[in-house]
Amino acid sequence: MKRICALLMIAGLPLLGFTQTNNYWQQELHYNIQVALNEKQHSLKGGLSVEYINHSPDTLKFIWFHLWPNAYKNKNTAMGKQMAILKANEKQGNPLEKKKEVEHEPGYIDGLKFEVNKQTAATENDTANIDMIKVLLPQPLLPGKQVTVTTPFNVKLPDYYSRSGYSGQQFFVCQWYPKPAVYDTKGWHPIPYLDQGEFFSEYGSFKVDITVPAEYVIGATGSLQNKDELAKYKQIGIENNKDTKLVLYKTSTPGKTKTLQYTGERMLDFAWFAAKDFVVRYDTLQLTPDNTIDVFSYGQPNGNKTWKNSTSYIKDAVRHYSKWIGQYPYPVVQAVEGPKNQSSGGMEYPTITLITSPNAKEEEMDGVITHEVGHNWFMGILGTNERQYAWMDEGINTYYQFRYEAEKYRSNSILSSYIPKDIKELSEDEFQARIYEVLNSIPAEQPINTPSAAFTSNEDYGIVEYVKTAVWMYTLEAALGRDTLDKGMQAYFKDWQFKHPQPEDLKKELETTSGKNLDKLFDLLNKEGKLF
């Protein structure tokens, strides 16, 4: 997003309870996964058991599964083809200068042998995408009934790119296990993995046992159940938060392995990160007298110097989003600093996020951590279809990130290098008015409602789904008043947490709260070009 800033100048600009019906249903999953890391072969060996509960009114004859590690197998996958298009359409540098193409080590998943209730299940491969498979049920799954699907699996991790893989002896394990697709009133949603375009996942519980060499530190979705290991992380983390000499993790059993268990409820996904040299930091956040959560961060030993403030930034983000939208519901919140040779901002998973901003200054690091932690609300708790409606995830979250930056720093991550001193001295309201005047002037041809896979440029995707949506949310704030908008979003959060809201559900919540017809404002989601 930094590329667009050179085009902008800011000086001298003028100031400017919906109740669900009983017809709603969603499926329910309960995962039990065992996985072991082979650090030398950069591979995983695992076993999956997932209990699938059919809350739909339909009888199911099959279940679609995502096999997303196969997206890394070759250049002919949906991700490979998309990345080639995005690379060709990059809008930076000299178009006549040919850059050396990076060759990545392939990744894939194999060793699958699906069983349903201990009966061998046949499968059908998707004809277009090797990262999706249909598991045929030996007997039809009736409404209200459940089945247990099991399979062994092996994963070869690629070198780290597009959210997952290994870098040296560090492992960033995302999109790694066979995962049922969402089934809802619109049918199945089997989607291939894409680099640009995120996910649509079903809620459930996780119990995951991770076996690694004893020297490794792990950060993962959910809560660590090994009390001795948890106590060690906390002890080391408290020392490292004192900003004195860093304390690294050591084990009394080098050369051995250990198995750590993580559990979580009402979650959409599970990711984990492992390294021998992660710098653990730890703090606590008391949201209410009865709710104290653990705050962890895992940093690079020679990473960004601003990472020393990471737990402080995480805590402040959770405080603000809890106040603005609704209280953070999980017992832990975490962030992982990615490898220094990567710079992609971040990628979020429930209770944990990966941050790859090696050159970010303090305000920028705070902003990107806040954005990624904020996805616990807009994706993690409000489980929208990100592939279809990226704005309900990225854009609404960006609006709150901009509020956070304006309140705390009189800054904005898109325009940070171009904000004069006199603008930063304005009140928060006046500052935001100036900022959004500029953001609305950025060319954004596609409508906000454009599906993420329809964009052929990273810049266009970012400008439309992040920035243009933030402008739209600010327009709602101006039309309704901030207090009313906040009450509407809080009602939306309360009624739709751990569910799959659609755009019309957000609209009804805001109309019920405000007492206004919002047809015209929501019609702007389909408007080409600038909103105004």
Side-chain angles (χ1 to χ4, degrees):
M1 299 307 297
K2 294 179 181 177
R3 301 175 209 158
I4 65 176
C5 296
L7 304 174
L8 306 174
M9 294 295 290
I10 194 170
L13 287 173
L15 285 175
L16 305 172
F18 168 59
T19 301
Q20 297 178 58
T21 70
N22 292 328
N23 293 328
Y24 179 84
W25 54 266
Q26 68 186 51
Q27 307 295 62
E28 181 180 348
L29 306 175
H30 298 284
Y31 291 94
N32 191 329
I33 307 174
Q34 297 79 41
V35 61
L37 170 68
N38 186 318
E39 63 173 331
K40 294 181 180 179
Q41 296 181 5
H42 311 128
S43 65
L44 309 173
K45 185 177 181 63
L48 167 80
S49 175
V50 57
E51 185 179 285
Y52 188 101
I53 304 174
N54 182 16
H55 292 303
S56 82
D58 307 320
T59 297
L60 304 181
K61 296 182 179 180
F62 56 83
I63 299 173
W64 275 105
F65 272 77
H66 302 297
L67 303 178
W68 281 330
N70 277 343
Y72 300 85
K73 196 168 188 176
N74 56 53
K75 296 180 181 179
N76 295 319
T77 65
M79 179 182 73
K81 293 175 180 178
Q82 184 196 55
M83 292 187 74
I85 293 172
L86 296 176
K87 181 69 176 176
N89 291 335
E90 279 187 357
K91 300 177 182 178
Q92 64 174 354
N94 184 349
L96 301 179
E97 179 185 345
K98 291 187 178 180
K99 296 182 180 180
K100 184 178 179 181
E101 187 173 351
V102 177
E103 292 292 334
H104 292 288
E105 185 177 333
Y108 53 83
I109 186 170
D110 63 13
L112 300 165
K113 186 179 180 182
F114 284 97
E115 292 186 353
V116 178
N117 290 343
K118 299 184 179 180
Q119 290 182 265
T120 299
T123 60
E124 290 182 2
N125 295 324
D126 182 72
T127 56
N129 299 289
I130 62 173
D131 55 346
M132 301 188 306
I133 196 169
K134 185 187 290 185
V135 177
L136 306 180
L137 302 177
Q139 288 85 34
L141 179 58
L142 300 176
K145 301 299 182 180
Q146 62 190 55
V147 292
T148 300
V149 182
T150 61
T151 184
F153 64 94
N154 305 310
V155 174
K156 174 66 179 68
L157 295 169
D159 59 301
Y160 175 60
Y161 76 104
S162 187
R163 309 182 181 100
S164 192
Y166 74 91
S167 178
Q169 287 190 307
Q170 296 189 343
F171 296 86
F172 307 87
V173 187
C174 311
Q175 297 83 234
W176 57 282
Y177 57 92
K179 182 178 182 181
V182 172
Y183 182 76
D184 62 13
T185 56
K186 298 181 181 180
W188 285 102
H189 297 267
I191 53 177
Y193 177 80
L194 295 177
D195 181 66
Q196 178 178 277
E198 295 180 3
F199 311 115
F200 187 31
S201 305
E202 196 53 83
Y203 283 100
S205 66
F206 286 87
K207 183 171 76 170
V208 181
D209 295 311
I210 304 172
T211 300
V212 295
E215 295 89 342
Y216 277 80
V217 170
I218 294 180
T221 295
S223 299
L224 176 58
Q225 299 301 303
N226 303 66
K227 293 183 179 179
D228 290 346
E229 187 87 356
L230 180 61
K232 194 170 184 179
Y233 286 7
K234 288 182 177 181
Q235 180 184 8
I236 294 171
I238 290 170
E239 290 300 314
N240 286 333
N241 248 352
K242 294 178 180 177
D243 199 23
T244 54
K245 185 178 180 181
L246 294 179
V247 181
L248 294 179
Y249 179 90
K250 293 182 180 179
T251 179
S252 59
T253 57
K256 305 291 185 180
T257 63
K258 63 184 177 185
T259 299
L260 303 184
Q261 184 177 96
Y262 291 82
T263 63
E265 302 286 337
R266 300 179 299 179
M267 292 177 170
L268 293 168
D269 204 352
F270 189 100
W272 57 281
F273 309 89
K276 294 179 179 179
D277 54 356
F278 274 155
V279 178
V280 182
R281 287 181 170 84
Y282 171 71
D283 203 345
T284 59
L285 171 60
Q286 188 166 350
L287 277 177
T288 70
D290 301 320
N291 184 16
T292 300
I293 63 177
D294 287 329
V295 181
F296 285 99
S297 75
Y298 308 88
Q300 298 287 337
N302 298 304
N304 191 315
K305 292 182 180 180
T306 65
W307 194 259
K308 69 181 185 295
N309 301 320
S310 53
T311 56
S312 175
Y313 297 153
I314 295 169
K315 288 168 61 175
D316 217 8
V318 174
R319 283 193 200 98
H320 278 78
Y321 276 66
S322 293
K323 178 180 69 175
W324 289 334
I325 307 155
Q327 189 175 146
Y328 185 77
Y330 301 117
V332 61
V333 59
Q334 307 160 94
V336 179
E337 185 181 19
K340 197 169 185 178
N341 64 338
Q342 296 285 334
S343 182
S344 59
M347 183 59 207
E348 68 282 355
Y349 299 91
T351 75
I352 195 164
T353 182
L354 177 64
I355 306 293
T356 51
S357 296
N359 300 313
K361 297 177 182 178
E362 288 194 17
E363 291 183 12
E364 297 168 323
M365 182 64 80
D366 193 357
V368 71
I369 286 178
T370 293
H371 181 93
E372 302 307 330
V373 169
H375 277 304
N376 279 286
W377 282 260
F378 299 104
M379 180 283 294
I381 303 167
L382 295 161
T384 53
N385 184 343
E386 300 175 85
R387 189 69 61 88
Q388 182 67 31
Y389 304 112
W391 64 271
M392 296 185 74
D393 167 56
E394 297 294 357
I396 295 177
N397 188 34
T398 299
Y399 162 79
Y400 284 103
Q401 175 195 348
F402 288 172
R403 272 179 67 168
Y404 178 90
E405 293 171 332
E407 176 188 306
K408 194 169 181 179
Y409 298 110
R410 297 293 190 273
S411 184
N412 179 276
S413 57
I414 302 298
L415 307 173
S416 57
S417 301
Y418 300 90
I419 303 177
K421 182 180 177 181
D422 62 323
I423 300 298
K424 293 176 76 74
E425 291 174 349
L426 295 172
S427 69
E428 181 186 346
D429 289 346
E430 293 174 320
F431 176 82
Q432 286 276 70
R434 293 289 185 99
I435 290 296
Y436 277 105
E437 184 83 22
V438 176
L439 296 180
N440 182 56
S441 72
I442 300 173
E445 292 308 312
Q446 294 94 329
I448 291 171
N449 253 336
T450 304
S452 56
F455 289 94
T456 58
S457 156
N458 280 314
E459 277 194 353
D460 290 343
Y461 174 71
I463 291 170
V464 172
E465 299 300 344
Y466 291 67
V467 179
K468 189 174 180 179
T469 307
V471 174
W472 178 77
M473 283 291 293
Y474 182 73
T475 304
L476 281 177
E477 177 188 320
L480 304 179
R482 178 174 285 192
D483 287 346
T484 300
L485 176 61
D486 284 351
K487 289 177 182 177
M489 293 302 292
Q490 288 159 11
Y492 172 57
F493 175 86
K494 179 178 180 292
D495 289 341
W496 286 98
Q497 58 184 309
F498 312 117
K499 296 181 175 69
H500 300 304
Q502 302 289 323
E504 57 267 26
D505 301 315
L506 172 61
K507 180 173 180 285
K508 287 180 181 179
E509 293 283 4
L510 296 177
E511 287 183 332
T512 298
T513 301
S514 67
K516 294 183 178 181
N517 183 305
L518 300 180
D519 286 351
K520 291 184 178 180
L521 284 170
F522 272 75
D523 285 346
L524 291 174
L525 295 171
N526 299 307
K527 186 177 186 299
E528 296 181 352
K530 295 192 300 183
L531 291 182
F532 303 102

